[in-house]
Amino acid sequence: MTVSEAAEQVGLTTYTLRWYEQEGLVEPVGRDSAGRRRYTQQDLDWLILLTRLRRTGMPVRDMRRYAELAREGDATLADRRHIFEEHRDRVQARIAELEEDLKVLNYKIEVYGKMEQGLC
C-alpha cells in the first residue's frame, strides 16, 4: 500500500504519516524497487493504534516511549501495560468530566425548550 493509500486508510494526512516516522513512532516502512514506501497490514494496525492513542489524548512523548518499548520486545510488557493503565485512568477521568458537562448541556437544552414553549 502506498503512503497516500495508508494515510487514507487510517485517517491521517501523508504529512502526518511521515511525521510519525520522523518522530520514531513508526519503524521504517519497507520500500519498493523504486524506493517508494509500501505499507503492510501490520504497519496499518500499528498506525491505527497510534491514531487511537492520539485521539484519546496520549502525549507524543508517551507514544514514543511505548513505541521504543514495543521494539525492545516482550521484556518490556509490564512497562507497556503501565503506560496504557496510566493513560486509561486519564481517559476515564476525562470521560467523567465530559459526562458532567453533558448533564449541563442537556439541562440548558431542556430549560430553553420549556422557555420557547412558554412553560417557564
Side-chain angles (χ1 to χ4, degrees):
M1 186 171 309
T2 68
V3 67
S4 57
E5 291 168 336
E8 184 178 330
Q9 285 282 322
V10 297
L12 297 173
T13 65
T14 56
Y15 172 81
T16 302
L17 194 52
R18 288 184 181 115
W19 183 82
Y20 274 24
E21 287 183 39
Q22 292 168 351
E23 287 297 309
L25 297 172
V26 176
E27 287 196 35
V29 175
R31 297 187 181 252
D32 65 15
S33 60
R36 293 180 298 253
R37 290 174 178 86
R38 289 294 178 193
Y39 291 82
T40 65
Q41 186 59 51
Q42 186 176 351
D43 295 325
L44 291 181
D45 293 344
W46 180 256
L47 289 166
I48 289 167
L49 172 62
L50 292 177
T51 58
R52 297 255 169 97
L53 295 175
R54 275 305 293 149
R55 191 168 66 195
T56 58
M58 181 179 275
V60 172
R61 74 177 176 281
D62 290 349
M63 292 170 59
R64 190 178 299 115
R65 179 70 181 138
Y66 174 75
E68 291 167 359
L69 290 169
R71 284 192 276 277
E72 291 176 23
D74 288 350
T76 66
L77 289 173
D79 292 329
R80 287 185 271 163
R81 180 178 45 79
H82 182 70
I83 289 170
F84 277 11
E85 287 171 342
E86 286 184 341
H87 185 59
R88 178 195 57 203
D89 293 346
R90 289 189 302 266
V91 169
Q92 288 175 327
R94 182 65 183 132
I95 288 170
E97 290 173 347
L98 287 170
E99 287 174 346
E100 290 301 311
D101 296 343
L102 184 59
K103 287 179 187 176
V104 171
L105 289 172
N106 286 333
Y107 170 77
K108 294 304 278 183
I109 289 167
E110 182 181 334
V111 167
Y112 290 145
K114 289 179 181 178
M115 291 174 73
E116 288 175 332
Q117 295 173 5
L119 299 175
C120 287

